[in-house]
Amino acid sequence: MHLANKRNGRKPVTQKQPPMLSWKKICEQYPSTWVLLAEPKTNKWQKVTRGRVVAHGQRDETCRMISALGLKSSAILYTGSIKLPPKTAFMLSIYCPSYGSVRAIAASPST
């Protein structure tokens, strides 16, 4: 990634790119936290299988990093498990300036 210092017009600074990690390694290195992945790779079911961790931490802080880093392809995922009460439904709404709002509905399995 190249970052330009616009205030004084210096040449861009080159930063070392984080390594591509498998989802298993990401979960091991960043347990129970939100991760922002650059260049996420998915399988045929669109499940993320690998990526480059460029930020991690609390959800809101991690989400703010998307626009700050200007990533072309990214994913934000939680590495822990989320326990939902039985018969609980939730709606996930995501806004992407390029595509508008994308929504998905999911429900926990009945027990």
Side-chain angles (χ1 to χ4, degrees):
M1 180 185 318
H2 295 283
L3 300 173
N5 186 335
K6 294 181 181 179
R7 289 187 183 152
N8 59 19
R10 286 192 223 164
K11 290 183 179 178
V13 176
T14 303
Q15 290 185 340
K16 185 178 177 187
Q17 197 173 41
M20 183 68 75
L21 299 173
S22 69
W23 178 244
K24 182 179 178 182
K25 282 282 188 196
I26 292 168
C27 292
E28 289 171 0
Q29 290 184 20
Y30 304 94
S32 300
T33 192
W34 291 90
V35 292
L36 172 57
L37 303 180
E39 303 173 38
K41 305 298 181 202
T42 59
N43 61 19
K44 65 181 179 181
W45 298 284
Q46 297 304 306
K47 182 177 178 183
V48 173
T49 57
R50 55 185 39 252
R52 300 180 192 282
V53 178
V54 293
H56 62 92
Q58 297 298 316
R59 184 190 64 209
D60 293 343
E61 296 166 356
T62 307
C63 288
R64 280 192 285 273
M65 292 301 294
I66 292 175
S67 59
L69 294 173
L71 302 172
K72 290 182 182 178
S73 174
S74 64
I76 294 181
L77 300 164
Y78 185 68
T79 60
S81 61
I82 299 173
K83 305 278 186 200
L84 295 175
K87 299 182 182 179
T88 299
F90 65 91
M91 181 171 166
L92 174 64
S93 179
I94 302 168
Y95 178 76
C96 175
S98 303
Y99 301 105
S101 184
V102 178
R103 293 187 177 152
I105 297 175
S108 67
S110 311
T111 54

